[in-house]
Amino acid sequence: MSDRARSFGVMAEAYERFRPGYPVELFDVVMAYAGRPVRSALEIGAGTGKATRLFTRQGVTVTATEPDQAMLDELREHVPASVSTVRAAFEDLRPGEEYGLVYAAAALHWTAPEGRWTRMAALLEPGGVFASFGGPIQLADPAVKEAVRAARAPFLESDEIPSPDGTPPECEMQWPGTELQRSEWFTDVQQCAIERRLTMSAHEYIGQLSTISAYLVLPPFERKQTFDRIVRVLPRTVEIAADVTVHLARRRHER
């Protein structure tokens, strides 16, 4: 795991406080794709349990895996006792129980690409569903977005994560759908987006920036300087585009 992947634990409480959860429409999209009841699910990189809560509230029995102890401790404060938790990175999970659903919420890009889909398939029952979902939290006002970009520029050119396989943003199918389409283990790859607009105070916006890995790996003085510069150009409240992009695929019955 990269330094960025390992950076979240120190901000576990802020991650829980400032990162938005997931809408119930996401659950509906996944279940409609599954086409049958899903009773058990394995979550990869569960963080503080934002997605865990969505699925458990709808009656799915979730096993939540997370490599960072601080994030896992925070998760346990917010999920029901029925959720099983495992401290482990995706690469350290060993095949055993097979699940009807394996999903990753804003976490799949932190997993190692080598053997990713073979490992994923080993965790799914034949015909089971894989889902990956998430997306950047972006300022909706172009003028405010440009002001923030200019404010952070001396310390940070971009706070986004580039496509892991280099897929250009203008392509219709984005990662991980591109990898899933090439995998011998998966079929019926689909991509959709759930549009979401939020309003945050300037303080809340800075709070969620404080949980983004690009800022977390800056030296503390530079990080503080960056946030001080950004807050000076923000209005009291900001409109946020927080669309959730969903990728879905089905494990083949036969490879």
Side-chain angles (χ1 to χ4, degrees):
M1 296 172 67
S2 68
D3 289 343
R4 288 181 69 166
R6 297 177 185 275
S7 65
F8 297 103
V10 294
M11 296 299 290
E13 186 176 342
Y15 195 105
E16 173 58 31
R17 179 179 177 186
F18 294 113
R19 288 280 184 114
Y22 291 96
V24 70
E25 291 87 347
L26 171 61
F27 176 83
D28 296 338
V29 166
V30 175
M31 292 305 114
Y33 176 88
R36 61 184 183 183
V38 173
R39 309 197 187 282
S40 66
L42 178 72
E43 182 172 6
I44 297 164
T48 66
K50 299 283 186 177
T52 319
R53 278 162 272 178
L54 171 65
F55 284 88
T56 56
R57 286 175 188 143
Q58 307 302 321
V60 179
T61 300
V62 176
T63 298
T65 69
E66 166 59 45
D68 189 285
Q69 187 62 55
M71 297 288 272
L72 202 59
D73 290 343
E74 188 70 28
L75 176 147
R76 289 170 177 149
E77 294 289 325
H78 303 284
V79 302
S82 60
V83 173
S84 298
T85 58
V86 178
R87 184 184 179 187
F90 171 60
E91 294 76 16
D92 296 328
L93 297 175
R94 295 292 175 262
E97 181 178 354
E98 294 181 340
Y99 298 86
L101 169 68
V102 176
Y103 67 89
L108 188 69
H109 51 277
W110 300 126
T111 63
E114 298 81 8
R116 177 186 284 133
W117 302 114
T118 299
R119 287 192 294 270
M120 199 72 71
L123 298 167
L124 279 165
E125 61 190 37
V129 172
F130 169 74
S132 176
F133 44 86
I137 297 173
Q138 300 180 326
L139 291 159
D141 186 323
V144 177
K145 185 175 182 179
E146 173 57 25
V148 168
R149 186 206 64 76
R152 72 163 184 256
F155 302 105
L156 188 64
E157 180 178 352
S158 172
D159 60 7
E160 296 185 1
I161 296 172
S163 173
D165 69 350
T167 301
E170 63 271 16
C171 288
E172 182 176 354
M173 179 61 75
Q174 288 293 301
W175 185 91
T178 47
E179 282 190 10
L180 284 160
Q181 288 178 326
R182 297 191 294 267
S183 171
E184 62 184 343
W185 288 103
F186 289 90
T187 187
D188 192 20
V189 180
Q190 296 184 21
Q191 173 183 289
C192 67
I194 301 170
E195 185 175 297
R196 185 169 57 162
R197 296 296 179 268
L198 307 171
T199 300
M200 291 182 177
S201 68
H203 170 72
E204 290 169 333
Y205 180 70
I206 294 295
Q208 73 87 23
L209 288 185
S210 76
T211 71
I212 292 175
S213 60
Y215 298 95
L216 286 169
V217 297
L218 288 175
F221 176 75
E222 290 187 10
R223 184 165 62 246
K224 182 180 185 305
Q225 288 285 93
T226 304
F227 291 154
D228 287 346
R229 289 172 62 90
I230 290 174
V231 78
R232 285 198 290 268
V233 303
L234 291 174
R236 293 183 65 181
T237 61
V238 291
E239 297 299 315
I240 300 297
D243 296 354
V244 180
T245 301
V246 187
H247 287 95
L248 297 158
R250 199 178 311 277
R251 189 200 153 179
R252 295 182 185 274
H253 286 272
E254 298 292 339
R255 188 169 58 151

